[in-house]
Amino acid sequence: MDPAIIVFGLGIGILVGMTGMGGGSLMTPLLILIFGIQPTTAIGTDIFYSAVTKTVGGWRHLRMKTVNMDLVKWLSLGSVPAAEAGVAVVSVLERHVNPDRLDSLVYAVLGGTLLMVGVVTLARALILRSLVSERDRFEVVRRHKVAAVVIGATTGFVIGITSAGSGTVIAILLIAVYRLAPKKVVGTDVFHAAVLLWAAGIAHWIGGNVDFVLAGNILLGSIPGVVIGAALSGKAPQGFIRTALGVVLIGSGVVTIQKGDPLVWPIAAAVAAVSLGAILFAPHWLNRRREKRSPTPALESAG
């Protein structure tokens, strides 16, 4: 039993329960940079423990009726197979790339992803909330389903490789694309993450990337933490927490990329930025096209 890891698990569990964000984005770099865990093992273990943690949180949010099950279903149709593909890429690299080179690549991809996750987290905290009107429920039509599958596939692949973003990135997309109210964002995000992370976690388990003793230590702290966080989700100062989280993620990304391939991390960050930008812009582009084709203004935005 490692008390330090248990304490970190408790803190991150509370953060996940309150905001739906921060699990993989924080625990993976902590395991690598502070506890010296080998990168692929840290990613696989983090995904596995996060699956258990978010299952507890998802169950709590389901009972609180803060989960949009229609969106969870369509997000999962894209994210589950994409996450499996991401884990498969890691397995192929493990067989064909020497360990030092693989660690350098993983550091670079993880660091670049963390930088972009930090940026979108800050954007959500400082900018997006004031620009987007929020709603508790809406009818899920075809364009929403297509967007959910695309969002799931894009983020699921990245999560399968790096474990980062299952809460942070998908949460900001739920706000930007669907304009969900905060309590619905957290509930839907946590429940979907549980589904996605079980698929990726089992794949990493089969690939030999899960340290169950390490995962058990984290879970001793994270399970009670996520229950506490879910109970506090409507009371916590969300804006401050997200701003602080964004700064921490950017800092983690900066430290992580220094250990990675200097040619790979800018590519990873650029790909993440372009993909997120395309997903965020697509609903507004589709909405303008629909308005041009219609003689009257659209009654509802593409979000």
Side-chain angles (χ1 to χ4, degrees), residues 2 34 58 66 69 75 88 92 104-105 108 115 121 140 160 163 171 189 196 198 200 205 238 245-246 272 281 291 301:
D2 189 329
I34 296 179
T66 57
M69 290 302 297
L75 285 167
V92 170
S104 178
L105 291 173
L115 284 174
T121 302
V140 179
S163 83
D189 184 26
L196 164 59
W198 271 116
W205 179 7
Q238 301 283 310
L245 177 59
F281 179 74
E291 289 178 345
S301 72

Side-chain angles (χ1 to χ4, degrees), residues 65-113:
K65 301 186 185 303
T66 57
V67 179
N68 186 315
M69 290 302 297
D70 280 341
L71 282 182
V72 168
K73 177 179 70 175
W74 291 102
L75 285 167
S76 299
L77 283 175
S79 65
V80 169
E84 298 283 353
V87 177
V89 169
V90 173
S91 297
V92 170
L93 290 174
E94 286 181 316
R95 291 195 298 269
H96 294 90
V97 178
N98 72 68
D100 290 340
R101 177 58 178 163
L102 178 59
D103 287 354
S104 178
L105 291 173
V106 172
Y107 280 128
V109 174
L110 176 61
T113 303

Side-chain angles (χ1 to χ4, degrees), residues 8 38 58 81 246 276:
F8 276 115
Q38 195 265 342
L276 289 172

Side-chain angles (χ1 to χ4, degrees), residues 63-271:
R63 292 192 62 185
M64 293 162 61
K65 301 186 185 303
T66 57
V67 179
N68 186 315
M69 290 302 297
D70 280 341
L71 282 182
V72 168
K73 177 179 70 175
W74 291 102
L75 285 167
S76 299
L77 283 175
S79 65
V80 169
E84 298 283 353
V87 177
V89 169
V90 173
S91 297
V92 170
L93 290 174
E94 286 181 316
R95 291 195 298 269
H96 294 90
V97 178
N98 72 68
D100 290 340
R101 177 58 178 163
L102 178 59
D103 287 354
S104 178
L105 291 173
V106 172
Y107 280 128
V109 174
L110 176 61
T113 303
L114 286 172
L115 284 174
M116 292 314 306
V117 170
V119 169
V120 297
T121 302
L122 282 178
R124 176 184 179 184
L126 303 177
I127 302 172
L128 193 62
R129 179 79 178 265
S130 62
L131 297 180
V132 179
S133 58
E134 298 168 341
R135 55 192 178 181
D136 280 331
R137 59 173 59 91
F138 62 98
E139 182 183 357
V140 179
V141 297
R142 185 173 64 179
R143 66 180 181 275
H144 298 132
K145 296 173 183 178
V146 172
V149 173
V150 173
I151 290 170
T154 305
T155 56
F157 184 76
V158 174
I159 291 161
I161 294 177
T162 69
S163 83
S166 65
T168 309
V169 174
I170 293 177
I172 194 172
L173 293 174
L174 288 175
I175 292 177
V177 177
Y178 299 105
R179 309 200 321 269
L180 284 181
K183 62 181 180 179
K184 288 286 188 177
V185 170
V186 175
T188 303
D189 184 26
V190 171
F191 195 92
H192 165 257
V195 176
L196 164 59
L197 291 171
W198 271 116
I202 291 171
H204 273 292
W205 179 7
I206 294 171
N209 297 327
V210 179
D211 183 330
F212 290 103
V213 175
L214 177 61
N217 276 275
I218 300 171
L219 288 169
L220 285 175
S222 68
I223 289 179
V226 78
V227 173
I228 295 169
L232 297 173
S233 60
K235 306 173 184 177
Q238 301 283 310
F240 172 78
I241 291 173
R242 288 166 182 158
T243 301
L245 177 59
V247 173
V248 170
L249 291 175
I250 292 173
S252 297
V254 171
V255 173
T256 304
I257 61 175
Q258 293 177 10
K259 294 176 174 286
D261 189 315
L263 298 178
V264 173
W265 78 259
I267 297 174
V271 169

Side-chain angles (χ1 to χ4, degrees), residues 143 281-298 300-302:
R143 66 180 181 275
F281 179 74
H284 305 288
W285 178 75
L286 290 172
N287 187 49
R288 285 200 296 269
R289 286 193 62 186
R290 190 166 64 253
E291 289 178 345
K292 288 179 180 179
R293 291 178 179 177
S294 174
T296 58
E300 180 185 9
S301 72

